[in-house]
Amino acid sequence: MRSLTQVLIALCVLHAILGVILPCWRGSYCFSQPEDYKSYAIINLFRDGWARVSILYWFGENNTVLIFKARLIGVPRLDSLTIIDDKELPVEYETVGKDRLLIYVLGAKWINVTYYTCTITFKREEIWVVNYTFPYVSFLVLPEKAVVLDINTLPLRIYSKDKRMVLQMPPGIVKVAYVLTLNSEVPISKKKETDVLSLLSAYIFPLAVTCIGGVVAWAIMMWYQGLKVSRLKGLLDDVDKEIIRLIEDMGGKAYQYEIQDKLELPKTTLWRHIVKLKECGILSIEKRGRTNYLKLRGRIFLKKLVRG
């Protein structure tokens, strides 16, 4: 009984020792990730497409991490790569692939990785696009005079620093399209002159051209109608003109028998005049049952034709 009690006590002591030692041992050699809310990246974009990336990885006050595997933003230019710890001392590292590093943290509170890269931007004609993935918050500093055209996700914050737009982006995929305007300042007087010229070229000039074109088209149409009227007046007799007047008085539409009743003409004679008016392009004939339905074409033009 006594030996059994001693065995149980020994097991409890061993369990307590392992509970203290194993977590420390495991934490010292595993690949750990820093706390989300204290890790971030700053990406400074330049006008030529290059970017200066500065990533801060936070591990905490009581850090037991010895080795940290970091995935970078883009492929770094190795001769520009520097890594320092919280004591501003250089940190040893090894490259693992194009965009990954094996960093020997050795218990530092935080480390800062800085480098230059040109692999997160590309240009399509005049439009620049920056595209990267980062698991923590990033601050994207656009070049001076940059204008954002498109963005894949809503920024957490937008502000200006040293005349440059800064986008505070949430974790995940970031894709921003932008264009660069002229870098030189334009005097205020020149800006006003440019604004006036832009207004003239955008609105007043097209409106003036449209008005002039409309006047010319109207003048050509009136000239053509006058020419057509003078030509038709020589072809139409008094009966033709009377038929046109009667149909006009009836709203521009009438049945053939209605015209025949008013003019008291033989059916064949009236039909000959109707066919003549149709061939001149003045009337259209629509068959309705056993009679014809007559319609005038171009009533304003026909008023000039039968005037006087």
Side-chain angles (χ1 to χ4, degrees):
M1 186 69 178
R2 185 176 179 181
S3 60
L4 180 60
T5 303
Q6 291 175 347
V7 171
L8 291 175
I9 293 173
L11 289 175
C12 291
V13 172
L14 180 61
H15 183 270
I17 293 173
L18 291 176
V20 173
I21 294 176
L22 283 179
C24 296
W25 178 84
R26 184 178 59 185
S28 299
Y29 291 94
C30 71
F31 295 138
S32 177
Q33 292 292 336
E35 299 176 30
D36 292 357
Y37 65 95
K38 290 186 178 180
S39 300
Y40 60 87
I42 300 175
I43 301 104
N44 275 281
L45 297 177
F46 301 100
R47 296 180 70 88
D48 59 358
W50 278 85
R52 183 180 184 273
V53 181
S54 179
I55 306 176
L56 187 139
Y57 293 104
W58 175 264
F59 297 96
E61 295 291 338
N62 301 316
N63 179 28
T64 59
V65 176
L66 297 180
I67 303 173
F68 172 59
K69 190 174 184 180
R71 181 172 182 175
L72 305 178
I73 297 175
V75 180
R77 181 173 172 174
L78 293 179
D79 59 357
S80 67
L81 181 62
T82 58
I83 304 176
I84 60 173
D85 59 12
D86 56 306
K87 298 178 182 178
E88 297 187 357
L89 297 175
V91 177
E92 295 292 330
Y93 66 90
E94 295 179 14
T95 57
V96 184
K98 293 183 178 180
D99 59 349
R100 288 175 173 82
L101 297 177
L102 201 62
I103 304 174
Y104 296 95
V105 181
L106 303 179
K109 296 179 183 178
W110 53 262
I111 59 170
N112 184 260
V113 183
T114 304
Y115 57 91
Y116 288 88
T117 181
C118 63
T119 61
I120 62 173
T121 60
F122 61 91
K123 189 178 183 182
R124 292 177 180 172
E125 295 181 353
E126 298 301 321
I127 300 176
W128 282 97
V129 178
V130 55
N131 187 10
Y132 63 88
T133 302
F134 191 61
Y136 312 107
V137 171
S138 61
F139 296 84
L140 183 61
V141 185
L142 298 177
E144 191 174 352
K145 305 290 184 181
V147 178
V148 175
L149 299 180
D150 190 21
I151 190 167
N152 71 320
T153 186
L154 188 66
L156 301 175
R157 183 186 173 201
I158 302 176
Y159 60 95
S160 177
K161 184 177 181 181
D162 298 330
K163 297 182 179 181
R164 299 173 67 183
M165 183 187 299
V166 181
L167 306 176
Q168 182 178 343
M169 303 303 296
I173 299 174
V174 175
K175 189 173 183 179
V176 179
Y178 61 93
V179 293
L180 300 175
T181 58
L182 294 177
N183 201 23
S184 58
E185 291 291 335
V186 180
I188 295 177
S189 59
K190 291 291 184 181
K191 286 184 179 180
K192 291 182 179 179
E193 182 180 344
T194 303
D195 292 342
V196 172
L197 291 176
S198 300
L199 179 63
L200 290 174
S201 61
Y203 298 101
I204 298 178
F205 288 161
L207 181 61
V209 171
T210 303
C211 292
I212 294 173
V215 171
V216 172
W218 178 81
I220 293 174
M221 182 182 67
M222 296 303 294
W223 172 80
Y224 176 74
Q225 284 190 359
L227 183 64
K228 190 174 182 181
V229 167
S230 61
R231 183 176 65 86
L232 288 176
K233 277 186 176 180
L235 297 176
L236 302 181
D237 56 23
D238 293 339
V239 176
D240 298 326
K241 294 179 181 180
E242 186 62 25
I243 293 173
I244 295 172
R245 288 194 190 96
L246 288 174
I247 299 177
E248 174 64 29
D249 293 340
M250 299 173 72
K253 302 174 183 179
Y255 285 98
Q256 181 177 334
Y257 66 82
E258 294 176 322
I259 304 300
Q260 187 174 355
D261 291 343
K262 291 182 179 296
L263 293 179
E264 298 180 352
L265 291 175
K267 187 175 182 180
T268 54
T269 303
L270 178 61
W271 176 246
R272 186 171 61 252
H273 286 281
I274 290 174
V275 171
K276 178 182 177 182
L277 293 174
K278 179 184 177 183
E279 291 176 349
C280 291
I282 297 173
L283 277 182
S284 64
I285 304 173
E286 181 182 335
K287 194 70 175 177
R288 291 191 178 182
R290 294 184 177 182
T291 187
N292 296 318
Y293 191 64
L294 311 177
K295 295 182 182 179
L296 291 178
R297 301 172 62 183
R299 294 174 62 187
I300 297 177
F301 152 72
L302 293 174
K303 287 181 180 180
K304 297 180 180 179
L305 184 63
V306 298
R307 186 182 301 164

